[in-house]
């Protein structure tokens, strides 16, 4: 049963600390998305990779956020330093190509206190 | 540029009644359109999608949606609501090389 795997599922951290969220896309998928979901803003696209190359990260605060794909089986989203306003659920999704549906992971619920 | 508008952040229907969730999009090129469902504490799951061809698309759990180019709409319907349909529903658009953009979501409540 292929699925997108995100770790950790929950993270509570103190303001100022570094947070790293990981995503294992479905094997064979070549596109990876990172979304942030909050009550106020809904689903916001943070970054989008195709064939491991970042195509669009315009939705991501550059001063503290960074997204990478060290290899085809791992995508990471880092926040350094974290702030309370970063508290949200972060979703990773993967797909085959630019114009097919995305398959979502279960999300990482981040709480910054 | 593309965008998605979902009319009504909350919709309530009685069990057995028609479900209608509205979605309008804007796009300068032919879009691909999607409906996703999110249950509490879960990720998003694809309900159905329109790419090309038949404009009436059937999805899982008895849902369907019709692509109407003249109205730039892709409304989601289900003839008879079930308690298990209570969830949040997201419409999304994808065009050309652009990313997958989501609407703000509609929370569906089913009243027994």
């Amino acid at each position: 049963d292929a699925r997108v795997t995100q770790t950790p599922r929950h993270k509570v951290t103190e303001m100022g600390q570094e947070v790293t969220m990981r995503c294992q896309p479905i094997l064979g998928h070549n596109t990876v998305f990172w979304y942030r979901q909050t009550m106020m803003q809904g689903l916001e696209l943070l970054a989008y990779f195709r064939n491991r190359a970042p195509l669009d990260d315009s939705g991501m605060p550059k001063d503290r956020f960074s997204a990478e794909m060290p290899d085809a089986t791992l995508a990471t989203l880092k926040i350094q330093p974290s702030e309370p306003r970063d508290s949200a659920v972060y979703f990773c999704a993967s797909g085959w190509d630019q114009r097919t549906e995305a398959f979502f992971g279960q999300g990482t619920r981040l709480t910054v206190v | 540029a593309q965008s998605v508008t979902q009319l009504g952040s909350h919709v309530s229907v009685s069990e057995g009644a028609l479900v209608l969730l509205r979605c309008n999009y804007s796009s300068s090129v032919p879009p691909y359109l999607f409906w996703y469902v999110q249950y509490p504490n879960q990720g998003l799951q694809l309900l159905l999608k329109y790419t090309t061809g038949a404009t009436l698309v059937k999805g899982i759990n008895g849902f369907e949606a019709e692509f109407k180019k003249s109205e730039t709409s892709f409304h989601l319907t289900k003839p008879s609501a079930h308690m298990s349909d209570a969830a949040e529903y997201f419409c999304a658009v994808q065009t050309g090389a652009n990313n997958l953009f989501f609407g703000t979501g509609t929370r569906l409540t089913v009243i027994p």
Side-chain angles (χ1 to χ4, degrees):
Chain A
D1 184 23
R3 65 181 69 185
V4 176
T5 303
Q6 290 187 248
T7 57
R9 288 294 310 278
H10 302 272
K11 176 72 175 179
V12 180
T13 190
E14 292 185 347
M15 182 173 61
Q17 296 297 306
E18 177 178 302
V19 174
T20 298
M21 291 169 272
R22 293 177 173 80
C23 168
Q24 181 177 352
I26 293 173
L27 188 65
H29 283 189
N30 68 341
T31 59
V32 172
F33 304 84
W34 281 104
Y35 289 90
R36 176 171 62 184
Q37 186 177 37
T38 61
M39 289 292 292
M40 295 300 294
Q41 301 295 329
L43 274 164
E44 301 173 276
L45 179 66
L46 297 176
Y48 166 45
F49 289 78
R50 185 162 188 256
N51 296 326
R52 294 177 54 201
L55 290 191
D56 187 350
D57 59 2
S58 58
M60 197 164 64
K62 299 294 191 303
D63 56 338
R64 298 184 300 108
F65 285 61
S66 62
E68 297 179 345
M69 283 200 72
D71 59 61
T73 64
L74 177 64
T76 62
L77 180 66
K78 290 186 180 180
I79 309 174
Q80 168 62 23
S82 58
E83 297 180 1
R85 59 180 167 151
D86 300 329
S87 297
V89 180
Y90 291 81
F91 286 104
C92 174
S94 70
W96 284 283
D97 204 349
Q98 294 169 315
R99 301 196 74 187
T100 64
E101 68 266 32
F103 293 78
F104 279 75
Q106 300 280 63
T108 295
R109 182 175 296 276
L110 173 66
T111 304
V112 183
V113 298
Chain B
Q2 66 282 334
S3 67
V4 177
T5 302
Q6 290 185 242
L7 295 176
S9 58
H10 291 85
V11 170
S12 293
V13 300
S14 297
E15 190 175 16
L18 171 71
V19 176
L20 171 61
L21 304 182
R22 298 179 187 273
C23 173
N24 288 87
Y25 69 91
S26 67
S27 174
S28 56
V29 298
Y32 283 12
L33 296 160
F34 306 85
W35 274 100
Y36 284 82
V37 61
Q38 185 180 31
Y39 299 102
N41 301 312
Q42 299 288 322
L44 278 71
Q45 177 184 0
L46 181 72
L47 271 180
L48 49 80
K49 65 179 179 182
Y50 168 78
T51 54
T52 58
T55 57
L56 182 62
V57 180
K58 296 186 184 300
I60 62 172
N61 301 339
F63 284 93
E64 61 182 37
E66 187 171 10
F67 170 58
K68 291 187 176 181
K69 184 178 179 180
S70 61
E71 299 177 8
T72 60
S73 69
F74 191 56
H75 302 328
L76 181 71
T77 60
K78 182 173 179 177
S80 176
H82 191 272
M83 295 299 294
S84 61
D85 294 328
E88 186 144 19
Y89 292 80
F90 293 90
C91 183
V93 63
Q94 190 176 52
T95 59
N98 292 321
N99 306 320
L100 190 58
F101 286 93
F102 286 86
T104 51
T106 298
R107 184 170 298 279
L108 176 66
T109 300
V110 182
I111 304 166

